[in-house]
């Protein structure tokens, strides 16, 4: 079976970094390009961090294109309080040597989709949806040409992680999320409702460290750092490993389950700004616009991640 062709839009972030390494280590996926967006940390850092992961994976064949430095309407809100000042604290890696690839991420997203056959490409988003929304505004036809968009973002029964109502990726750019969720692109949404069931633990992190490789050590170091904020916030032994759920879903969808729902994005009220209103019970009778995932086989998820990271040096 031919590898699935994907583009990954990301704001690394330790969890993004693990997702990138997993994708780059998986022969089932053809990572056509990586595009970076402002989110966890400002764009220069997310672009630095993505290039560091490409080099760590030995995949400098994959271009990294920088995208939007701020949300479509709101000012940028970042999360150094979670990820540290670099965005990937705990990684202990050298600065990247490869340059950014020429071309703005928004143009690359549009041009790549328009040059491909309909249904050939899948977008994977791990951060705020600014780049993808701007691409849809620039060339609305891409929504109908994509095989799908698989995204980490939102929350419903789990509420939010930035405000009681809003998860970070949607909160940062709710207007972009509104554009994407009303574009008609086939969406698979992996919200906090599923990622909060995929918790790291000392034992699970030790599995990465036991690989005895640079990649395994980098993942263990990043997760040790990344865990501390959510462990203190939620009082759990471990933190939700959000973004690799997107890649794991593509690799082994049988690890996940959910249902098709209509999802609205709050982009007016400051009180609930960025809320993903998931019509889980179908009470609005509105046509579903997303497959909303709420279940994961956590052991299988971490087995998959260890197996893939274990393929890197
Ligand atoms: O809410 C979790 C999401 O926000 C993850 O993508 C994390 O990397 C941050 O971007
Ligand atoms: Ca992210």
């Amino acid at each position: 079976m031919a590898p699935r062709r994907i583009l990954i839009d990301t704001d690394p972030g330790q969890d993004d970094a693990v997702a990138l390494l997993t994708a780059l280590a998986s022969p089932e996926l053809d990572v056509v390009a990586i595009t970076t967006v402002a989110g966890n940390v400002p764009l220069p850092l997310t672009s630095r961090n993505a290039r560091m992961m490409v080099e760590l994976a030995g995949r400098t064949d994959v271009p990294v294109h920088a995208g939007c430095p701020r949300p479509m309407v709101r000012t940028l809100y970042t999360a150094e309080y979670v990820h540290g000042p670099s965005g990937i604290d705990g990684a202990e890696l050298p600065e990247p040597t490869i340059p950014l690839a020429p071309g703005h991420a928004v143009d690359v997203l549009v041009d790549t989709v328009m040059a491909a056959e309909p249904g050939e490409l899948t977008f994977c988003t791990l951060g705020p949806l600014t780049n993808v929304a701007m691409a849809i505004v620039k060339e609305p036809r891409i929504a109908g040409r994509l095989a799908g968009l698989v995204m980490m973002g939102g929350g419903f029964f789990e509420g939010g992680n930035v405000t009681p109502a809003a998860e970070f990726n949607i909160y940062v750019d709710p207007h972009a999320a509104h554009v994407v969720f009303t574009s008609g692109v086939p969406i698979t949404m992996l919200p906090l409702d599923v990622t909060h069931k995929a918790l790291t633990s000392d034992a699970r992190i030790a599995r990465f460290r036991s690989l005895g490789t640079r990649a395994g050590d980098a993942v263990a170091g990043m997760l040790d750092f990344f865990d501390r904020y959510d462990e203190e916030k939620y009082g759990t032994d471990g933190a939700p490993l959000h973004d690799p759920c997107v890649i794991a879903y593509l690799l082994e969808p049988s690890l996940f389950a959910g249902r098709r729902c209509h999802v609205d994005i709050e982009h007016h009220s400051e009180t609930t700004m960025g809320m993903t209103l998931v019509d889980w019970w179908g009470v609005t009778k509105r046509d579903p616009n997303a497959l909303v995932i709420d279940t994961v086989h956590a052991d299988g998820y971490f087995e998959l991640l260890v197996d893939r990271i274990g393929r890197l040096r």
Side-chain angles (χ1 to χ4, degrees):
M1 188 173 175
R4 182 197 291 258
R5 301 189 71 215
I6 67 172
L7 293 114
I8 303 176
D9 192 73
T10 181
D11 66 331
Q14 290 87 352
D15 58 325
D16 302 67
V18 177
L20 292 175
L21 292 173
T22 302
L24 294 168
S26 297
E28 304 93 323
L29 302 175
D30 173 7
V31 183
V32 174
I34 293 170
T35 53
T36 56
V37 68
N40 286 319
V41 287
L43 184 67
L45 282 173
T46 60
S47 301
R48 162 193 179 265
N49 299 342
R51 284 178 289 152
M52 287 166 71
M53 291 310 122
V54 161
E55 289 190 339
L56 177 61
R59 292 298 312 278
T60 54
D61 58 299
V62 178
V64 177
H65 299 268
C68 295
R70 49 149 294 184
M72 294 179 83
V73 175
R74 293 167 67 84
T75 55
L76 179 61
Y77 173 89
T78 54
E80 289 86 349
Y81 57 91
V82 176
H83 299 276
S86 78
I88 54 170
D89 284 38
E92 307 304 325
L93 291 171
E95 290 299 312
T97 60
I98 56 169
L100 279 170
H104 191 285
V106 172
D107 298 326
V108 168
L109 292 174
V110 170
D111 296 347
T112 306
V113 172
M114 297 309 290
E117 290 301 314
E120 190 179 327
L121 286 168
T122 300
F123 279 176
C124 300
T125 64
L126 313 179
L129 292 166
T130 314
N131 288 339
V132 174
M134 293 291 281
I136 291 171
V137 169
K138 179 177 182 185
E139 180 44 87
R141 290 179 294 170
I142 65 173
R145 292 177 69 91
L146 281 167
L149 182 146
V150 184
M151 58 161 291
M152 190 278 141
F156 187 57
F157 295 105
E158 280 294 300
N161 59 4
V162 178
T163 74
E167 176 277 329
F168 180 84
N169 287 339
I170 310 300
Y171 178 78
V172 168
D173 199 340
H175 301 89
H178 174 69
V179 167
V180 171
F181 275 78
T182 55
S183 70
V185 66
I187 295 170
T188 300
M189 172 180 168
L190 291 108
L192 300 179
D193 302 86
V194 63
T195 66
H196 281 191
K197 298 167 184 166
L199 298 183
T200 63
S201 67
D202 291 346
R204 285 171 169 165
I205 292 173
R207 293 282 310 279
F208 293 106
R209 188 166 279 112
S210 70
L211 293 170
T213 62
R214 290 179 68 236
D217 288 347
V219 167
M222 286 191 285
L223 296 186
D224 276 336
F225 181 91
F226 172 73
D227 280 2
R228 86 217 179 287
Y229 179 81
D230 280 335
E231 282 176 344
E232 187 175 332
K233 174 178 177 181
Y234 295 112
T236 51
D237 167 30
L241 191 50
H242 306 286
D243 291 339
C245 285
V246 169
I247 305 303
Y249 177 81
L250 291 177
L251 293 172
E252 286 192 35
S254 61
L255 293 172
F256 299 87
R259 73 170 62 166
R260 290 192 56 73
C261 305
H262 188 275
V263 179
D264 263 323
I265 309 294
E266 175 60 76
H267 56 290
H268 298 293
S269 158
E270 198 56 48
T271 308
T272 52
M273 183 62 73
M275 181 178 185
T276 50
L277 193 70
V278 176
D279 186 3
W280 188 258
W281 306 113
V283 298
T284 66
K285 305 290 186 260
R286 295 175 71 179
D287 291 340
N289 57 352
L291 171 61
V292 180
I293 302 296
D294 73 325
T295 304
V296 59
H297 184 282
D299 285 340
Y301 172 60
F302 280 94
E303 283 299 324
L304 174 63
L305 297 185
V306 170
D307 171 72
R308 297 310 160 100
I309 300 299
R311 300 185 187 192
L312 302 174
R313 289 191 303 277

